[in-house]
Amino acid sequence: MDTLQARTDRPLYVDLDGTLIRSDLLWESLFLFARQNPLQAWRLFGWLLAGKSVLKHELAAGIEVDPATWPYREEVVETLRAERETGRTIVLATAANERLAQGVADHLGLFDRVIASNRDENLSAERKLDRIAAERAGAPFDYIGNSRDDLCLFDAAEGVTVVQPDRAAARWHRESARASRLIQGEGNLPRALLKAMRPHQWMKNLLLFVPIVLNHEYVDVPMVLAGMLAFVCFSMAASSVYIFNDLLDLAADRRHGTKRRRPFASGQVPIPIGVAAGVGLFVAAFGLSLLLPIEFTAVLGIYLVLTTAYSFALKRMLLIDVLTLAGLYTLRILAGAASADTVGSFWLLAFSLFFFFSLALVKRYVELAEFGEGASRRTTGRGYVPADLDTLAQAGMASGFASVLVLALYIDSAEIRQLQAHPYLIWPLCPLVLYIIVRIWVLAKRNEMHDDPVVFILRDWRSQIMVGLGALLFLAAAYA
């Protein structure tokens, strides 16, 4: 019979990656290193060739980490606290690098000692078992783990707790003749992965249809089908970017009030699955784009280059970040024109640049306001501080008004007279756009804007009414 005294006499060895935390510190370190040292990424290949232990050691030495932000499994932590209260010896036994492991141990204060990988040894699977066996000299011990690498430790341990197991560990738990405790993970992986792809953001790609609609080509079936395929390509490419952007932003997201619940930041989706999904979406997007004019593939390539640069560097640069965001929205319109093999209007591109620059400034304003007075460039991962709020608001309103001015000049231009039978009927569009812009900024100043502003416009019923009225005005001007 396994009494309390018997258990407390046996030390408890606890795995870290996937067990104590809902993540893997090697993958975390890779993306954190890429974020903090992008120009040093080439060194990863040499470290990997030198061995996994060297890679882990160099990554741990090259990054700044905050162990308090890791996604800990609360049920495991509570189990360890209860065991600690009985006076039991608890050891953190992990294949993670010793510097990172010690940081976790210091933060939690639950471990008597740490055994972990160093530059010369990758302490996983049998190597970890050998180290524990040498310490115990044949005496029993208990173990908490989660993966295939832990199977040999499960077989050797007296008491076993299996935490959110992979296939191999789950099969061991089902088929082993020995009793073992199971701590099952929370959440639905497919649903969390879909959330990480941010399908609600795909609505932004409706901008690809704007050139088709404004040129009155919405009854041209081949052109509409080309627009739909372009929409799919951009949506997959955007989801790929969102995934890698989230992986690069793990540390900053975990310090944010709401972003810390994102699938990767919270550990709901393992990083390797995210990497596979991101690469798959990227390849599929480019493969399908080859069915469209080569100009569309070129614009899609520019979009991905810009978004990659944005993820690595541009998003932390003052004003360059919002100019890039505005440019990415405008690229969608250019991509729509390229997919339909039409030419983008100068007026449309000018309006788009000013309008989306205003919305990009709304996005930054809201993010900065949510961080509060203690926000800094380090905590937000952006180039702004609270003192910039008024400047952002003033620039955003001015840019929004400039977009309406461009619209007014377009309505009075010779170009629109070639497309519309009664262009004067479009004049009410100016106050409709003013309403949308000013309302968004009023809500942002009230701290009532919590969505991406473009997504907000597509979801908000008042904005939808304004957009619908604008569409009716264009139809009336063309066919009245």
Side-chain angles (χ1 to χ4, degrees), residues 321-338:
D321 60 338
V322 285
L323 286 168
T324 303
L325 287 176
L328 290 173
Y329 286 119
T330 305
L331 271 178
R332 288 175 168 91
I333 295 175
L334 285 173

Side-chain angles (χ1 to χ4, degrees), residues 131-407:
R131 176 77 68 84
I132 294 174
E135 286 187 357
R136 298 300 296 155
F141 65 93
D142 290 353
Y143 186 77
I144 302 179
N146 75 300
S147 69
R148 175 183 295 275
D149 285 346
D150 295 318
L151 296 186
C152 60
L153 291 127
F154 291 161
D155 290 333
E158 185 75 17
V160 174
T161 299
V162 183
V163 179
Q164 193 168 358
D166 62 12
R167 287 185 180 180
R171 185 168 57 251
W172 184 94
H173 173 71
R174 288 193 308 269
E175 299 176 358
S176 176
R178 297 163 49 208
S180 58
R181 181 188 177 199
L182 176 66
I183 297 179
Q184 193 59 270
E186 299 177 357
N188 183 296
L189 179 58
R191 183 182 300 173
L193 182 58
L194 180 62
K195 182 180 178 181
M197 293 167 61
R198 302 190 206 175
H200 63 282
Q201 298 282 6
W202 297 345
M203 290 187 290
K204 296 177 183 178
N205 298 323
L206 292 173
L207 291 170
L208 280 95
F209 293 99
V210 170
I212 296 174
V213 172
L214 293 184
N215 287 327
H216 306 297
E217 303 290 355
Y218 35 78
V219 294
D220 186 319
V221 175
M223 197 170 287
V224 172
L225 290 176
M228 293 174 65
L229 182 58
F231 176 86
V232 172
C233 290
F234 251 78
S235 296
M236 290 192 297
S239 289
S240 175
V241 170
Y242 291 139
I243 287 173
F244 285 108
N245 188 57
D246 283 354
L247 292 173
L248 289 167
D249 269 356
L250 285 172
D253 285 352
R254 286 172 181 154
R255 290 190 292 264
H256 192 277
T258 56
K259 292 181 180 180
R260 59 188 175 85
R261 292 190 286 271
R262 284 179 172 176
F264 296 112
S266 64
Q268 296 177 59
V269 178
I271 294 177
I273 291 179
V275 172
V279 172
L281 288 166
F282 176 88
V283 172
F286 262 96
L288 288 175
S289 75
L290 298 178
L291 300 175
L292 294 168
I294 191 64
E295 292 81 3
F296 172 80
T297 303
V299 175
L300 182 62
I302 294 171
Y303 171 82
L304 287 169
V305 168
L306 273 179
T307 50
T308 301
Y310 176 80
S311 297
F312 275 98
L314 300 183
K315 70 189 304 179
R316 299 192 296 278
M317 296 182 181
L318 180 70
L319 296 181
I320 298 298
D321 60 338
V322 285
L323 286 168
T324 303
L325 287 176
L328 290 173
Y329 286 119
T330 305
L331 271 178
R332 288 175 168 91
I333 295 175
L334 285 173
S339 70
D341 204 14
T342 62
V343 179
S345 162
F346 161 80
W347 294 104
L348 176 59
L349 297 179
F351 169 83
S352 170
L353 191 61
F354 283 113
F355 183 76
F356 290 113
F357 183 63
S358 179
L359 297 189
L361 287 167
V362 171
K363 184 179 177 69
R364 284 294 172 265
Y365 180 94
V366 170
E367 289 177 350
L368 188 59
E370 286 181 349
F371 267 100
E373 287 299 321
S376 67
R377 284 184 285 268
R378 186 188 69 82
T379 57
T380 63
R382 303 291 187 265
Y384 305 91
V385 295
D388 300 328
L389 283 171
D390 287 343
T391 303
L392 292 176
Q394 292 165 9
M397 291 289 288
S399 183
F401 292 154
S403 71
V404 178
L405 177 60
V406 171
L407 177 61

Side-chain angles (χ1 to χ4, degrees), residues 25 61 67 83 107 142 162 192 290 312 464-465:
L25 292 190
E83 294 288 350
H107 168 66
D142 290 353
V162 183
L290 298 178
F312 275 98
Q464 289 171 355
I465 289 175

